[in-house]
Amino acid sequence: MSKATFNMICEELDAAVTKKDTMLRMAIPVRQRVAVCLYRLATGDPLRTVSGLFGLGISTCHKLVLEVCAAIKNVLMPKFLQWPNDERLGQIKSEFGSISGIPDVAGAIYTTHVSIIAPKVSPALYYNKKHTERNQKPSYSTTVQGVVDPRGVFTDICIGYPGAMPNDQILEKSVFSKRFNMGHSKNVRVVGNSSYPLLDWLLVPYTHQNHTWSQHSFNEKIGDVQQIAKDAFMRLKGRWACLQKRTEVKLQDLPVVLGACCVLHNICEINNETMDESLIFDLFDDEIVVGENAKGKSVNAVQVRDSIAHNLLHHSH
């Protein structure tokens, strides 16, 4: 993150995080508060390390991180992480259109897992079977579902559903999906991978065996759009390394911290902060394929997908 971006964040958060000096001690300055938070999120270092580096108590550092994350969520999220207005939506559709040739695509969706310590209450809900098999030890996780624009900037996030819940169920419960199902977003499509169901507003790849030429080319184009979302999550976890390891943050505090990381990701992306390729984090989010006969799949969605696939093949020739 450049100094200019850091300064902008400090200015924006100034009113929300400033504390007054008391008779007994001087208040910690805003820049130091923000720096402690960003350092902890970017490195995932233990609080003991952060405390030593900044010359502040461990519990003070813990409190600062949560306070600054809450301020980022309350002050910066409304400015930097919002579903686009109609004008921006038009730009997004044309950018995705030039990438994929598919009309009316307004976002690419992806869901990632963040490792947590086994919760005391209902641990089975958070049990991550796939991670457990890979790591050869019990693994627990919470989830972040995100929709991105063609630049990899988040336009919607849904945080905190337990890791045992499959992507299609998280989607179904999210406010994002309810908004679409109620018909608030007309002429807009979102692209997902095979762990999501085919819906009137959600395009996913063909998952059956033996594709026709048009289905094969459709899957390739869908893959290009889907990769933009996956790449965004790889940069999110690369920049904010606290998301790469098992987090010590309490489960009830985690949504605010994860939300702050997504907002900070957007600020970096919007300000064209370049990222060292070596930092990009490989994702291990296993796609559990939703069958072609998943519930909620409409006949209309099947026909629309087939006609898009047909048009793509014939336009490309």
Side-chain angles (χ1 to χ4, degrees):
M1 181 186 287
S2 66
K3 199 158 193 180
T5 301
F6 175 72
N7 289 341
M8 181 276 288
I9 292 171
C10 292
E11 282 162 26
E12 291 274 355
L13 295 180
D14 188 79
V17 302
T18 299
K19 295 280 198 292
K20 290 190 168 64
D21 295 338
T22 65
M23 299 274 285
L24 298 174
R25 69 177 82 157
M26 303 280 279
I28 299 162
V30 170
R31 292 173 71 79
Q32 192 175 4
R33 288 169 183 272
V34 175
V36 166
C37 178
L38 294 188
Y39 185 87
R40 166 86 159 147
L41 297 181
T43 60
D45 281 356
L47 283 167
R48 194 184 313 106
T49 308
V50 182
S51 151
L53 280 167
F54 286 90
L56 298 166
I58 291 177
S59 61
T60 304
C61 288
H62 172 70
K63 205 169 87 196
L64 285 185
V65 171
L66 295 181
E67 280 175 7
V68 175
C69 282
I72 289 169
K73 182 174 174 283
N74 297 333
V75 177
L76 298 179
M77 193 178 274
K79 293 184 182 180
F80 292 100
L81 203 162
Q82 287 298 314
W83 187 247
N85 60 22
D86 288 347
E87 184 191 350
R88 176 72 188 127
L89 215 46
Q91 295 169 347
I92 288 173
K93 284 183 187 180
S94 84
E95 285 172 44
F96 272 131
S98 62
I99 292 164
S100 67
I102 301 171
D104 291 334
V105 173
I109 190 169
Y110 187 86
T111 304
T112 197
H113 287 255
V114 176
S115 288
I116 58 170
I117 293 164
K120 291 192 171 62
V121 182
S122 338
L125 290 177
Y126 294 87
Y127 181 71
N128 189 318
K129 188 162 168 274
K130 294 278 188 178
H131 284 202
T132 298
E133 286 164 8
R134 181 180 290 110
N135 302 334
Q136 300 290 301
K137 59 181 181 191
S139 296
Y140 299 83
S141 64
T142 186
T143 59
V144 180
Q145 170 189 286
V147 180
V148 304
D149 73 7
R151 296 177 296 173
V153 169
F154 292 109
T155 52
D156 186 274
I157 51 173
C158 172
I159 289 172
Y161 279 108
M165 194 181 277
N167 291 356
D168 57 324
Q169 283 181 28
I170 295 169
L171 176 70
E172 196 183 328
K173 289 179 181 295
S174 68
V175 175
F176 182 73
S177 150
K178 292 187 172 75
R179 193 164 63 212
F180 272 89
N181 291 338
M182 287 163 68
H184 289 331
S185 305
K186 293 270 188 286
N187 304 324
V188 166
R189 294 193 182 95
V190 176
V191 165
N193 60 26
S194 57
S195 64
Y196 299 97
L198 176 65
L199 303 170
D200 286 339
W201 52 270
L202 182 60
L203 285 174
V204 297
Y206 292 95
T207 54
H208 59 264
Q209 301 293 306
N210 308 330
H211 298 141
T212 64
W213 275 111
S214 64
Q215 290 168 347
H216 175 74
S217 94
F218 174 85
N219 278 9
E220 284 191 335
K221 297 295 187 188
I222 284 280
D224 293 341
V225 175
Q226 177 55 198
Q227 193 61 43
I228 293 170
K230 191 168 183 182
D231 287 346
F233 273 99
M234 286 164 82
R235 293 196 300 278
L236 170 77
K237 287 191 170 182
R239 277 202 182 97
W240 311 109
C242 65
L243 307 177
Q244 297 175 14
K245 36 193 136 174
R246 198 168 67 170
T247 179
E248 308 158 14
V249 180
K250 288 198 184 98
L251 200 53
Q252 70 263 30
D253 296 328
L254 204 48
V256 171
V257 173
L258 298 178
C261 289
C262 293
V263 174
L264 291 167
H265 163 91
N266 277 9
I267 290 171
C268 290
E269 296 285 320
I270 291 163
N271 289 323
N272 298 315
E273 300 286 4
T274 50
M275 186 174 163
D276 189 330
E277 293 289 317
S278 67
L279 292 175
I280 290 172
F281 184 73
D282 254 350
L283 297 174
F284 301 111
D285 297 306
D286 303 276
E287 288 177 39
I288 298 167
V289 175
V290 174
E292 291 279 334
N293 305 316
K295 62 171 185 167
K297 186 165 90 164
S298 74
V299 176
N300 178 52
V302 174
Q303 290 168 347
V304 167
R305 178 170 69 172
D306 287 346
S307 101
I308 291 172
H310 176 82
N311 292 341
L312 275 178
L313 185 65
H314 292 279
H315 283 162
S316 65
H317 288 326

